[in-house]
Amino acid sequence: MKPIRLTNTHQSLTFSRRMLLLGGAQAAVGGLLIGRVGWLAVAQNEKYQLLSENNRVQLIPVPPRRGWIIDRNGKPIAINRASFRVDIIPQQLEKTRDVVPELAQLLALNEDDVERVRRELAESRGFKPVQVAENVTYDQYAAVTVRLPELPGVQATRGFSRFYPDGPAVAHLVGYVGSANAKEYDAEDKNPLLLIPGFKIGKQGLEKSLEPYLRGTPGGQRVEVTARGKLVKELDPKPDRSGQTVQLTIDEGLQQYAARRMGDQSGALVAMDVTSGDMLAFVSMPAFDPNSFSEGIGRTEWKMLSQDDHIPLLNKVAQGLYPSGSTIKPAMALAFLKQGVDPKRRVHCPGGLRIGNRFFSCDAVHGSVDMHQAIEKSCNTYFWATGLITDPEQTTEMVNYLGYGQEFDLPIPSQRFGTMPSPKWLMKKYKREWQGYDSANTSIGQGYVLVNPLQLAVMPARLASGKLLQPRLLMGGRRKPIAPVDADPEHLEIIRKAMAAVVNGSGTAVASKLPLDGVQMAGKTGTAQVYRLISRGHQGNWNLRDHALFIAFAPADKPRYAIGCIIEHGGFGASAAAPIVRDSMTYLFDKQKAWAALEPLEKQWGGSLAERNARQLAAFKAAARPTA
């Protein structure tokens, strides 16, 4: 084949085509680059300027201070105090170094704390901090701070923590705060505020139900940083907005006094102002220290609380349900009067009453009694006999109308409201007809009757005032007019006089007269059977003893305050509950006299509430500590 001969002309043409193609490609690439740059500079300007600004300026969120909770007189119940804390950022830890022992030594951590930190470190990931300690002293904070260069991953900060000055005395009223868990984080659409170290949300009680008012609005500190995250300068901060202060109707002094007056007993006490319905005390004992929960409760303390047979973790005011015992009798008597029973009608009490084939035993042989004496002496036979000749449906309706088994609108989560049985309720619930023994049991607050301690205060408050009071826990807001109780005023007066005779006549609570000149207390004792025994109230086994109850109002002639109290397995209402109500009522009229009555009792019990709690925890920890 003859070879092709390339001339200069051919080479020139070939070079020109290549240059043309290369130039075209370069022009196309250049055009694309210019178009891209123009698109980024013009169309995407705002987006990338914002991203650039975000890289340059970092916002360090600042959690808001939680709103205070104060009592009706402005005294603090839940406040914030400056605190120092130490955290560990798992992502920044050096794998070859264990910083926990060094922190345990610097912060004097106990075994529980060390175990918790190790457990949380093992479960945590990334930059989410693990709390080592909260509310550390300034010296401890300073000791950690100066060693930070030697402790990679450790972070020492200062902020505010929740503090409850009265501790266990307000535990079941206000609840406590704690760090948000995964469920709460998801429920708030992954709110980043919940991830800030030390930020707490309401977990129980008013802290939980009033969370929208107490939380506040977060702020932030804006700082300018380099591309590598190095701080250049601090910019204008965005101020946070503290949560609102919530004022309660509670009298902090009475709340503390009643909690201490209960001693080591298990029970609840509610006090009300009968002129307004304001709740003055909301006490459930024994209780936990909410400060322990806010700081992160240790396993030993949690174990002690959860194993206590007096159930300190249960809010007995809102969630405790008990037979009312004889405290139901004033309301029963008012129901009898409304159905036309003559208050002078007499019933002979030979020590009991036979209903069907069962003999119901009264607490004593009372002889012939009328309504006044039946309430004063707490004669069961009178109420059994009268209950059998009246309409149980109407009777139950009146008792429920006065508060027992009724639901109240309060900002307390997880309330239980109990039961006031009636023929209609029994048929609907158990598909059976109402019998005579149902009337007998109901008329003395046994059988299906269940009430909570709040209802124990509402019923005497309504009887005393003649108004359909609604319990109120939050100050402020518009007050609605209070309707009168739908009962004959003369009938109400009969009941009030009988209740006054219970304490000041020859009734069951004469040992609990107020130690005050010119002020008398009216009341009604109750002893509710919890286990069927021949001899009631004296059992050695605490769990089998009767519940002791007492309801009261004072002054008897011009009511101002009402109190309902139950002591779980306290035995007799007159000996266990009535003295506590007497002293708490005394506090409302003469604080000095009330404190003087409490002082010798606390010496007898081994110190104040705080001292006994601290001693109990120390003893439990000592018992739980392994022996060598």
Side-chain angles (χ1 to χ4, degrees), residues 307-340:
Q307 291 181 353
D308 192 333
D309 62 352
H310 287 36
I311 320 179
L313 296 172
L314 176 69
N315 181 347
K316 297 180 176 71
V317 173
Q319 298 172 355
L321 292 178
Y322 312 90
S324 72
S326 295
T327 63
I328 201 173
K329 288 174 179 172
M332 277 282 167
L334 189 64
F336 295 158
L337 290 170
K338 190 164 187 176
Q339 294 179 59

Side-chain angles (χ1 to χ4, degrees), residues 472-490:
R472 201 174 71 126
L473 198 50
L474 302 179
M475 295 288 280
R478 189 176 177 183
R479 298 191 180 206
K480 297 178 181 176
I482 304 172
V485 170
D486 183 19
D488 189 325
E490 291 184 6

Side-chain angles (χ1 to χ4, degrees), residues 35-257:
R36 177 67 177 171
V37 170
W39 186 75
L40 291 174
V42 180
Q44 299 291 299
N45 177 274
E46 186 176 350
K47 173 184 175 182
Y48 286 99
Q49 192 171 13
L50 184 62
L51 289 174
S52 172
E53 187 69 6
N54 285 341
N55 285 335
R56 184 181 70 86
V57 179
Q58 297 287 319
L59 180 67
I60 302 173
V62 176
R65 297 187 194 182
R66 199 167 178 82
W68 282 25
I69 298 176
I70 59 176
D71 85 335
R72 64 188 298 109
N73 301 311
K75 292 183 179 177
I77 292 178
I79 59 177
N80 307 312
R81 64 179 181 182
S83 68
F84 303 99
R85 58 177 294 119
V86 177
D87 300 306
I88 292 177
I89 310 298
Q91 184 73 19
Q92 297 176 349
L93 279 176
E94 287 183 0
K95 294 183 179 178
T96 56
R97 184 170 182 185
D98 185 0
V99 299
V100 176
E102 294 175 63
L103 289 175
Q105 185 178 7
L106 289 172
L107 301 173
L109 301 180
N110 58 37
E111 294 177 2
D112 282 355
D113 291 332
V114 171
E115 184 183 344
R116 177 187 58 77
V117 171
R118 289 197 182 283
R119 185 178 66 253
E120 293 182 7
L121 276 176
E123 296 170 352
S124 66
R125 296 290 184 275
F127 287 91
K128 184 180 179 183
V130 169
Q131 174 188 308
V132 178
E134 270 190 320
N135 301 320
V136 300
T137 65
Y138 178 77
D139 290 343
Q140 291 173 325
Y141 169 77
V144 173
T145 302
V146 298
R147 289 173 175 80
L148 285 181
E150 309 162 14
L151 299 170
V154 176
Q155 187 180 64
T157 56
R158 59 183 304 174
F160 293 92
S161 64
R162 202 59 159 170
F163 179 64
Y164 306 91
D166 291 326
V170 298
H172 289 295
L173 171 65
V174 297
Y176 57 88
V177 297
S179 300
N181 57 33
K183 187 177 179 182
E184 291 160 339
Y185 178 63
D186 291 337
E188 292 202 21
D189 197 21
K190 301 187 186 305
N191 184 352
L193 179 65
L194 304 188
L195 297 180
I196 297 176
F199 182 75
K200 305 290 178 60
I201 63 172
K203 292 282 189 175
Q204 200 179 66
L206 292 176
E207 291 279 25
K208 180 178 181 180
S209 58
L210 300 178
E211 179 70 19
Y213 304 98
L214 295 171
R215 179 180 293 186
T217 306
Q221 174 62 57
R222 295 169 65 242
V223 294
E224 185 176 344
V225 296
T226 65
R228 294 180 180 274
K230 186 177 180 181
L231 177 66
V232 176
K233 64 178 179 181
E234 293 186 352
L235 305 176
D236 295 336
K238 177 187 174 186
D240 62 287
R241 194 169 64 196
S242 299
Q244 299 176 37
T245 296
V246 175
Q247 187 169 24
L248 307 182
T249 61
I250 294 296
D251 181 328
E252 182 271 343
L254 176 64
Q255 177 82 15
Q256 185 189 157
Y257 181 87

Side-chain angles (χ1 to χ4, degrees), residues 450-489:
L450 288 174
V451 300
N452 65 35
L454 175 58
Q455 295 159 354
L456 281 176
V458 170
M459 200 265 273
R462 289 181 173 177
L463 286 172
S465 65
K467 299 176 184 175
L468 210 58
L469 292 167
Q470 298 294 326
R472 201 174 71 126
L473 198 50
L474 302 179
M475 295 288 280
R478 189 176 177 183
R479 298 191 180 206
K480 297 178 181 176
I482 304 172
V485 170
D486 183 19
D488 189 325

Side-chain angles (χ1 to χ4, degrees), residues 4 101 116 144 167 313 346 358 399 404 414 418 489:
I4 298 173
R116 177 187 58 77
V144 173
L313 296 172
R346 305 192 74 82
R358 179 183 164 188
V399 178
Y404 280 8
S414 306

